[in-house]
Amino acid sequence: EAQVTQNPRYLITVTGKKLTVTCSQNMNHEYMSWYRQDPGLGLRQIYYSMNVEVTDKGDVPEGYKVSRKEKRNFPLILESPSPNQTSLYFCASTTYGGNEQFFGPGTRLTVL
Amino acid sequence: EDQVTQSPEALRLQEGESSSLNCSYTVSGLRGLFWYRQDPGKGPEFLFTLYSAGEEKEKERLKATLTKKESFLHITAPKPEDSATYLCAVQTTDSWGKFQFGAGTQVVVTP
């Protein structure tokens, strides 16, 4: 089954404790992206990657890091999480030049 | 600055009561406008892509249209299963990889 998976689905952590949210897709897509979703603000793009070893900032990259060492994986790293990073995070992927982004199920992160 | 605004924020419809959602955008150059549906607790699901003014796309009870400044998502004779949040997003000619989403319209259809 074609899908985007994220882990963990739920995470409660404390300020300053480094964490990684994994994202994996099995569709051989070149493009992957991370978004955060907050009430009233919609989806905001954090980082995206056009292909392996190619990443670029979205609209809200501060406090986040990403890497793209393999085509199927695009982890999101919070090196020192803060409460304002409490949010619902989505990973998405598509083919290069594609229209339809396939979204993962989301990761709900709470930073205390 | 690029901007995407959706209205209304929320819409409550009776089953069979047709309505339209609006997505207005201000961008330097539009490459594509996308509509997604999002159910509670799930990731967005793709509905349509529109590229140029005058273009229309249809899927079941949904029809999306595009002008130079806005897009409409028309819901004809909605059913309770059409209840969801509808998101629009734009992609500009400046950067293929960047997508800007509106805040969404939450639609509730009651029997």
Side-chain angles (χ1 to χ4, degrees):
Chain A
E1 180 192 353
Q3 60 182 349
V4 177
T5 56
Q6 296 179 226
N7 283 292
R9 294 289 315 279
Y10 302 91
L11 180 59
I12 300 175
T13 189
V14 295
T15 299
K17 186 175 181 182
K18 181 179 179 180
L19 67 92
T20 299
V21 183
T22 65
C23 173
S24 182
Q25 49 93 6
N26 63 0
M27 295 168 281
N28 202 37
H29 287 165
E30 293 82 12
Y31 176 92
M32 298 184 76
S33 184
W34 275 104
Y35 298 88
R36 61 177 290 174
Q37 187 172 38
D38 302 289
L41 296 178
L43 282 163
R44 292 181 292 167
Q45 194 172 32
I46 303 171
Y47 270 96
Y48 62 94
S49 169
M50 304 286 261
N51 214 325
V52 176
E53 302 291 359
V54 181
T55 62
D56 213 339
K57 296 178 181 178
D59 288 330
V60 290
E62 296 78 19
Y64 304 95
K65 282 178 61 176
V66 292
S67 68
R68 187 89 182 276
K69 293 184 169 48
E70 304 168 284
K71 198 172 186 180
R72 64 183 294 131
N73 296 323
F74 190 41
L76 180 69
I77 303 157
L78 286 72
E79 296 214 322
S80 184
S82 63
N84 64 13
Q85 292 179 298
T86 292
S87 188
L88 180 57
Y89 291 86
F90 288 101
C91 178
S93 73
T94 188
T95 56
Y96 183 77
N99 305 319
E100 174 182 0
Q101 287 190 74
F102 292 84
F103 282 81
T107 295
R108 186 165 291 282
L109 172 66
T110 302
V111 183
L112 302 174
Chain B
E1 183 182 323
D2 298 337
Q3 201 164 9
V4 180
T5 305
Q6 290 188 246
S7 62
E9 290 183 15
L11 190 59
R12 193 173 184 88
L13 301 170
Q14 290 271 42
E15 185 172 0
E17 179 189 0
S18 300
S19 189
S20 295
L21 316 182
N22 178 265
C23 172
S24 64
Y25 60 92
T26 307
V27 297
S28 49
L30 181 72
R31 184 183 180 277
L33 186 141
F34 307 86
W35 282 98
Y36 286 83
R37 170 195 171 120
Q38 186 176 22
D39 293 306
K42 295 191 174 181
E45 182 181 327
F46 173 79
L47 292 172
F48 305 110
T49 307
L50 302 164
Y51 290 109
S52 55
E55 191 174 359
E56 298 182 352
K57 294 271 179 75
E58 275 188 80
K59 180 179 179 179
E60 295 180 359
R61 294 175 295 281
L62 301 177
K63 180 180 177 180
T65 62
L66 182 65
T67 73
K68 288 188 177 179
K69 292 184 179 180
E70 57 193 350
S71 177
F72 293 93
L73 184 66
H74 309 277
I75 310 178
T76 302
K79 298 183 177 182
E81 52 262 43
D82 295 321
S83 297
T85 296
Y86 292 87
L87 305 169
C88 75
V90 298
Q91 184 185 36
T92 69
T93 51
D94 292 346
S95 173
W96 183 89
K98 274 195 164 184
F99 292 85
Q100 189 159 1
F101 280 78
T105 295
Q106 184 179 27
V107 174
V108 174
V109 182
T110 56

